[in-house]
Structures are given as C-alpha cells and as structure tokens.
Amino acid sequence: MEDFVTFKCTGRWLRAWFTIVLLCLSTDVPAQNQIPANNVNATQKRLIVNAMTDQEGAWVANAETNIYRSGTFENVTFGYSAKNDWDVNLSLLNVQIAGSNLSFQGEPFLNTTKTYQLNSGLELAFGTLNGFTPGTAGPVQWLYFHFIDFQYTPFEGIELHGGPYLANKAITGTSRQVGLQTGIEIDLLADRLALNMDYISGEHALAGANVNLTVNLTPLFQVYLGVLVPEANSGNEFAGIVGFNFSSHRL
C-alpha cells in the first residue's frame, strides 16, 4: 500500500513537471539562428542545483568564488530543507567582483526541489530554478532550468545522480536546450573528506563540469576547492573554485 501511495504521488509530480515544461515550451520565444557559443560566453555560468544536506528542518548557506583569467565571480545561496523532502533556496549567482569591465551582473534565482524516496538506495527529485537578469545591460529576461534527477546509492560512500534538464535561451545564451545533468559524490574519509563531480551537457553557457574536494572542518561547516572545466565548443573558460557551506544541522 505504501508503494502504491508513493507511486501515485510521484505520478502527480511527473504530470505537474511535464505541464511546467509544456508551458515553458509554449511561452518561450523560439530561437531563430543558434548563435555560436564561443561568440556569446566568456565564463561558464554557475548553477547551484543539489541540496547541501539531507537533514530535515535545516537552514543552509553557501558562498562560492569562481576565479577566471578574465575576472572573479561570486555566488551566494541561502536555503531551507523542509520536512517531507522539500528544499527551497534563494541564490544570487554570477556576480562579478573583480576583473575588466566590472559591473553588476548578478542573477537572482529561486530553486525549489521535491524528492521522493523510491527505495532504500534510490531517490527521485523534481526541481526548477527560476530567475531573471537585473536589466542593467538590456531588458530584463526570465531564466529557467528545470530538471529531473535520479539519485542512486549503490553502497555506502558512493552516490550517483543524473537526469534530463530543460533550459531556456536566456540562460544558455544560444537557444532553448534539452540535455543531461549528472554527477557523483565519493566519500574518501567518512564525514571528513569527499570528492564531488558534476556535469551539464551541451555547447552553451551552462555546459561543462565542476570537480570539488570538500573538507568537513566541523559537522556544520565545510570548505571546498575545485575547478570548473568547460565543455568543448561551449566558449567557456577554466576557473578555480573556492567555496564554503554552512548548515544548522549536520552536513
């Protein structure tokens, strides 16, 4: 009976997610001619997608600096992991704080994710990020990134995730895109050291991978160092990453 209820709830969320996708497809302005990515992007746009903690009732915060050859960008996120596996985050992403042509370029986002526990090792998450450009260098644009994410733990210390995404032209810089986002987390030292790798497919401003080594300095505070690796033909640059995670509950 419990499995039936879970399946029924999941089916409702599948219908809701696809309804959102169809609305976006119907309202998004169709791309005319796809602009080559290397003429559009100088830096890989950063998205904060995955929840920082599995603990319910936890307040979380993240501060991350991306250091490119042409400039330095800051990302700040505040969120709450509610009961019933809801996660809600507010982010200000891709704010240039150093480099040439310095100007406010931050993009506010609201990230909402609902996760279902399918069995002891498999979870299914439905998420959507919605934001806008501040309009300082042109008209205000709506940005969205919708995704489905399967999260699988084959055994303790390894977590895999992946699934499809839909992103609009305003956020990719080229055209509306459907692709794959995936990743892996490996615990190198239990509750102390972990390796995180995430990847977004495509040839646009979001495309590429990030590889981070995370150290738990305390149960509530993490620091991580890593690199952003651009996808081929995306026009993005390599960048160094320095980040911090905070939580009111164990990370």
Side-chain angles (χ1 to χ4, degrees):
M1 183 65 180
E2 183 178 350
D3 292 340
F4 173 76
V5 173
T6 300
F7 175 79
K8 188 175 181 181
C9 291
T10 303
R12 289 174 182 167
W13 269 92
L14 276 170
R15 290 194 296 272
W17 191 89
F18 282 117
T19 300
I20 293 172
V21 170
L22 289 174
L23 286 172
C24 292
L25 287 172
S26 64
T27 56
D28 194 21
V29 178
Q32 301 299 319
N33 296 319
Q34 183 166 325
I35 304 171
N38 57 10
N39 291 333
V40 176
N41 312 319
T43 60
Q44 180 177 330
K45 284 192 176 183
R46 190 76 165 100
L47 289 183
I48 307 297
V49 176
N50 298 321
M52 282 179 267
T53 180
D54 295 328
Q55 303 288 334
E56 292 188 343
W59 291 95
V60 294
N62 167 266
E64 179 182 291
T65 304
N66 302 145
I67 306 166
Y68 297 87
R69 181 176 58 183
S70 58
T72 300
F73 292 75
E74 192 70 21
N75 308 293
V76 179
T77 298
F78 298 95
Y80 181 65
S81 294
K83 294 183 178 180
N84 301 318
D85 296 312
W86 281 96
D87 293 282
V88 179
N89 294 327
L90 285 172
S91 302
L92 184 61
L93 304 179
N94 309 303
V95 181
Q96 187 175 3
I97 59 174
S100 58
N101 300 318
L102 183 61
S103 62
F104 180 79
Q105 300 177 27
E107 297 158 345
F109 278 92
L110 173 65
N111 177 3
T112 305
T113 305
K114 170 63 175 176
T115 302
Y116 292 94
Q117 186 80 40
L118 302 182
N119 58 45
S120 59
L122 182 63
E123 296 179 340
L124 176 60
F126 300 88
T128 178
L129 286 83
N130 291 273
F132 61 91
T133 59
T136 55
V140 174
Q141 298 184 80
W142 176 40
L143 311 170
Y144 68 71
F145 183 91
H146 308 313
F147 64 93
I148 297 176
D149 195 33
F150 290 90
Q151 301 160 6
Y152 177 56
T153 305
F155 48 85
E156 188 175 357
I158 299 287
E159 183 176 295
L160 308 171
H161 76 88
Y165 74 82
L166 171 68
N168 71 340
K169 178 181 178 181
I171 197 172
T172 65
T174 55
S175 64
R176 188 170 53 240
Q177 298 282 331
V178 175
L180 174 70
Q181 55 85 28
T182 186
I184 183 173
E185 178 176 324
I186 304 172
D187 285 337
L188 302 177
L189 291 173
D191 298 324
R192 295 295 295 176
L193 184 67
L195 180 65
N196 302 87
M197 294 178 282
D198 293 286
Y199 169 73
I200 296 178
S201 69
E203 296 181 359
H204 51 75
L206 303 178
N210 63 278
V211 182
N212 298 322
L213 192 64
T214 302
V215 180
N216 286 37
L217 298 181
T218 75
L220 307 181
F221 176 58
Q222 296 174 331
V223 60
Y224 59 93
L225 301 173
V227 61
L228 284 169
V229 182
E231 177 64 284
N233 302 317
S234 68
N236 298 328
E237 299 177 357
F238 284 88
I241 299 173
V242 180
F244 304 91
N245 292 326
F246 309 85
S247 176
S248 63
H249 292 50
R250 179 180 291 272
L251 287 163

PDB file of all heavy atoms in Angstrom, residues 10-24:
ATOM      1  N   THR A  10       4.171  10.284  -6.950  1.00  0.00           N
ATOM      2  CA  THR A  10       5.203  10.532  -7.951  1.00  0.00           C
ATOM      3  C   THR A  10       4.570  10.803  -9.307  1.00  0.00           C
ATOM      4  O   THR A  10       5.009  11.669 -10.060  1.00  0.00           O
ATOM      5  CB  THR A  10       6.158   9.325  -8.034  1.00  0.00           C
ATOM      6  OG1 THR A  10       6.713   9.091  -6.750  1.00  0.00           O
ATOM      7  CG2 THR A  10       7.273   9.592  -9.030  1.00  0.00           C
ATOM      8  N   GLY A  11       3.492  10.045  -9.634  1.00  0.00           N
ATOM      9  CA  GLY A  11       2.802  10.263 -10.896  1.00  0.00           C
ATOM     10  C   GLY A  11       2.234  11.660 -10.992  1.00  0.00           C
ATOM     11  O   GLY A  11       2.290  12.301 -12.043  1.00  0.00           O
ATOM     12  N   ARG A  12       1.695  12.164  -9.885  1.00  0.00           N
ATOM     13  CA  ARG A  12       1.177  13.534  -9.880  1.00  0.00           C
ATOM     14  C   ARG A  12       2.286  14.534 -10.160  1.00  0.00           C
ATOM     15  O   ARG A  12       2.109  15.489 -10.913  1.00  0.00           O
ATOM     16  CB  ARG A  12       0.533  13.834  -8.533  1.00  0.00           C
ATOM     17  CG  ARG A  12      -0.782  13.104  -8.287  1.00  0.00           C
ATOM     18  CD  ARG A  12      -1.270  13.350  -6.881  1.00  0.00           C
ATOM     19  NE  ARG A  12      -2.510  12.633  -6.604  1.00  0.00           N
ATOM     20  CZ  ARG A  12      -3.004  12.481  -5.392  1.00  0.00           C
ATOM     21  NH1 ARG A  12      -2.346  12.991  -4.352  1.00  0.00           N
ATOM     22  NH2 ARG A  12      -4.128  11.817  -5.204  1.00  0.00           N
ATOM     23  N   TRP A  13       3.445  14.331  -9.548  1.00  0.00           N
ATOM     24  CA  TRP A  13       4.554  15.258  -9.758  1.00  0.00           C
ATOM     25  C   TRP A  13       5.110  15.162 -11.164  1.00  0.00           C
ATOM     26  O   TRP A  13       5.544  16.155 -11.740  1.00  0.00           O
ATOM     27  CB  TRP A  13       5.642  15.020  -8.720  1.00  0.00           C
ATOM     28  CG  TRP A  13       5.401  15.893  -7.545  1.00  0.00           C
ATOM     29  CD1 TRP A  13       4.708  15.600  -6.418  1.00  0.00           C
ATOM     30  CD2 TRP A  13       5.805  17.254  -7.415  1.00  0.00           C
ATOM     31  NE1 TRP A  13       4.660  16.694  -5.580  1.00  0.00           N
ATOM     32  CE2 TRP A  13       5.324  17.714  -6.165  1.00  0.00           C
ATOM     33  CE3 TRP A  13       6.521  18.136  -8.222  1.00  0.00           C
ATOM     34  CZ2 TRP A  13       5.540  19.003  -5.713  1.00  0.00           C
ATOM     35  CZ3 TRP A  13       6.743  19.431  -7.767  1.00  0.00           C
ATOM     36  CH2 TRP A  13       6.250  19.842  -6.532  1.00  0.00           C
ATOM     37  N   LEU A  14       5.090  13.958 -11.742  1.00  0.00           N
ATOM     38  CA  LEU A  14       5.509  13.832 -13.137  1.00  0.00           C
ATOM     39  C   LEU A  14       4.594  14.648 -14.045  1.00  0.00           C
ATOM     40  O   LEU A  14       5.063  15.373 -14.923  1.00  0.00           O
ATOM     41  CB  LEU A  14       5.481  12.354 -13.559  1.00  0.00           C
ATOM     42  CG  LEU A  14       6.717  11.522 -13.223  1.00  0.00           C
ATOM     43  CD1 LEU A  14       6.439  10.049 -13.482  1.00  0.00           C
ATOM     44  CD2 LEU A  14       7.915  11.990 -14.034  1.00  0.00           C
ATOM     45  N   ARG A  15       3.277  14.528 -13.815  1.00  0.00           N
ATOM     46  CA  ARG A  15       2.345  15.303 -14.633  1.00  0.00           C
ATOM     47  C   ARG A  15       2.549  16.797 -14.436  1.00  0.00           C
ATOM     48  O   ARG A  15       2.510  17.579 -15.389  1.00  0.00           O
ATOM     49  CB  ARG A  15       0.910  14.902 -14.290  1.00  0.00           C
ATOM     50  CG  ARG A  15       0.531  13.503 -14.763  1.00  0.00           C
ATOM     51  CD  ARG A  15      -0.983  13.294 -14.700  1.00  0.00           C
ATOM     52  NE  ARG A  15      -1.487  13.348 -13.343  1.00  0.00           N
ATOM     53  CZ  ARG A  15      -1.546  12.292 -12.533  1.00  0.00           C
ATOM     54  NH1 ARG A  15      -1.115  11.115 -12.943  1.00  0.00           N
ATOM     55  NH2 ARG A  15      -2.035  12.409 -11.315  1.00  0.00           N
ATOM     56  N   ALA A  16       2.772  17.206 -13.173  1.00  0.00           N
ATOM     57  CA  ALA A  16       2.999  18.630 -12.893  1.00  0.00           C
ATOM     58  C   ALA A  16       4.273  19.126 -13.567  1.00  0.00           C
ATOM     59  O   ALA A  16       4.301  20.215 -14.142  1.00  0.00           O
ATOM     60  CB  ALA A  16       3.075  18.849 -11.383  1.00  0.00           C
ATOM     61  N   TRP A  17       5.327  18.315 -13.516  1.00  0.00           N
ATOM     62  CA  TRP A  17       6.608  18.734 -14.106  1.00  0.00           C
ATOM     63  C   TRP A  17       6.475  18.887 -15.605  1.00  0.00           C
ATOM     64  O   TRP A  17       6.915  19.870 -16.182  1.00  0.00           O
ATOM     65  CB  TRP A  17       7.687  17.718 -13.758  1.00  0.00           C
ATOM     66  CG  TRP A  17       9.069  18.200 -14.085  1.00  0.00           C
ATOM     67  CD1 TRP A  17       9.914  18.912 -13.278  1.00  0.00           C
ATOM     68  CD2 TRP A  17       9.782  18.031 -15.315  1.00  0.00           C
ATOM     69  NE1 TRP A  17      11.090  19.180 -13.921  1.00  0.00           N
ATOM     70  CE2 TRP A  17      11.044  18.661 -15.157  1.00  0.00           C
ATOM     71  CE3 TRP A  17       9.486  17.407 -16.516  1.00  0.00           C
ATOM     72  CZ2 TRP A  17      11.986  18.669 -16.174  1.00  0.00           C
ATOM     73  CZ3 TRP A  17      10.426  17.424 -17.531  1.00  0.00           C
ATOM     74  CH2 TRP A  17      11.662  18.046 -17.351  1.00  0.00           C
ATOM     75  N   PHE A  18       5.812  17.920 -16.250  1.00  0.00           N
ATOM     76  CA  PHE A  18       5.664  17.998 -17.695  1.00  0.00           C
ATOM     77  C   PHE A  18       4.738  19.142 -18.093  1.00  0.00           C
ATOM     78  O   PHE A  18       4.910  19.739 -19.157  1.00  0.00           O
ATOM     79  CB  PHE A  18       5.153  16.673 -18.252  1.00  0.00           C
ATOM     80  CG  PHE A  18       6.221  15.620 -18.356  1.00  0.00           C
ATOM     81  CD1 PHE A  18       6.129  14.454 -17.629  1.00  0.00           C
ATOM     82  CD2 PHE A  18       7.329  15.810 -19.167  1.00  0.00           C
ATOM     83  CE1 PHE A  18       7.130  13.490 -17.703  1.00  0.00           C
ATOM     84  CE2 PHE A  18       8.330  14.857 -19.248  1.00  0.00           C
ATOM     85  CZ  PHE A  18       8.228  13.687 -18.519  1.00  0.00           C
ATOM     86  N   THR A  19       3.763  19.484 -17.245  1.00  0.00           N
ATOM     87  CA  THR A  19       2.926  20.645 -17.511  1.00  0.00           C
ATOM     88  C   THR A  19       3.753  21.920 -17.522  1.00  0.00           C
ATOM     89  O   THR A  19       3.597  22.776 -18.396  1.00  0.00           O
ATOM     90  CB  THR A  19       1.810  20.759 -16.450  1.00  0.00           C
ATOM     91  OG1 THR A  19       1.002  19.582 -16.502  1.00  0.00           O
ATOM     92  CG2 THR A  19       0.945  21.989 -16.701  1.00  0.00           C
ATOM     93  N   ILE A  20       4.664  22.043 -16.534  1.00  0.00           N
ATOM     94  CA  ILE A  20       5.562  23.200 -16.486  1.00  0.00           C
ATOM     95  C   ILE A  20       6.411  23.267 -17.746  1.00  0.00           C
ATOM     96  O   ILE A  20       6.598  24.321 -18.356  1.00  0.00           O
ATOM     97  CB  ILE A  20       6.459  23.137 -15.236  1.00  0.00           C
ATOM     98  CG1 ILE A  20       5.614  23.321 -13.974  1.00  0.00           C
ATOM     99  CG2 ILE A  20       7.556  24.199 -15.297  1.00  0.00           C
ATOM    100  CD1 ILE A  20       6.379  23.090 -12.694  1.00  0.00           C
ATOM    101  N   VAL A  21       6.946  22.103 -18.155  1.00  0.00           N
ATOM    102  CA  VAL A  21       7.782  22.057 -19.357  1.00  0.00           C
ATOM    103  C   VAL A  21       7.000  22.513 -20.569  1.00  0.00           C
ATOM    104  O   VAL A  21       7.472  23.318 -21.387  1.00  0.00           O
ATOM    105  CB  VAL A  21       8.333  20.630 -19.568  1.00  0.00           C
ATOM    106  CG1 VAL A  21       8.983  20.517 -20.942  1.00  0.00           C
ATOM    107  CG2 VAL A  21       9.340  20.290 -18.488  1.00  0.00           C
ATOM    108  N   LEU A  22       5.753  22.018 -20.734  1.00  0.00           N
ATOM    109  CA  LEU A  22       4.945  22.395 -21.890  1.00  0.00           C
ATOM    110  C   LEU A  22       4.623  23.881 -21.884  1.00  0.00           C
ATOM    111  O   LEU A  22       4.634  24.531 -22.934  1.00  0.00           O
ATOM    112  CB  LEU A  22       3.650  21.574 -21.898  1.00  0.00           C
ATOM    113  CG  LEU A  22       3.814  20.088 -22.235  1.00  0.00           C
ATOM    114  CD1 LEU A  22       2.490  19.359 -22.055  1.00  0.00           C
ATOM    115  CD2 LEU A  22       4.326  19.903 -23.657  1.00  0.00           C
ATOM    116  N   LEU A  23       4.348  24.450 -20.694  1.00  0.00           N
ATOM    117  CA  LEU A  23       4.102  25.884 -20.602  1.00  0.00           C
ATOM    118  C   LEU A  23       5.317  26.682 -21.030  1.00  0.00           C
ATOM    119  O   LEU A  23       5.211  27.683 -21.736  1.00  0.00           O
ATOM    120  CB  LEU A  23       3.696  26.259 -19.177  1.00  0.00           C
ATOM    121  CG  LEU A  23       2.273  25.857 -18.756  1.00  0.00           C
ATOM    122  CD1 LEU A  23       2.085  26.115 -17.259  1.00  0.00           C
ATOM    123  CD2 LEU A  23       1.237  26.619 -19.560  1.00  0.00           C
ATOM    124  N   CYS A  24       6.500  26.211 -20.590  1.00  0.00           N
ATOM    125  CA  CYS A  24       7.733  26.917 -20.955  1.00  0.00           C
ATOM    126  C   CYS A  24       7.973  26.835 -22.453  1.00  0.00           C
ATOM    127  O   CYS A  24       8.394  27.798 -23.088  1.00  0.00           O
ATOM    128  CB  CYS A  24       8.915  26.322 -20.193  1.00  0.00           C
ATOM    129  SG  CYS A  24       8.852  26.633 -18.430  1.00  0.00           S
TER     130      CYS A  24
END
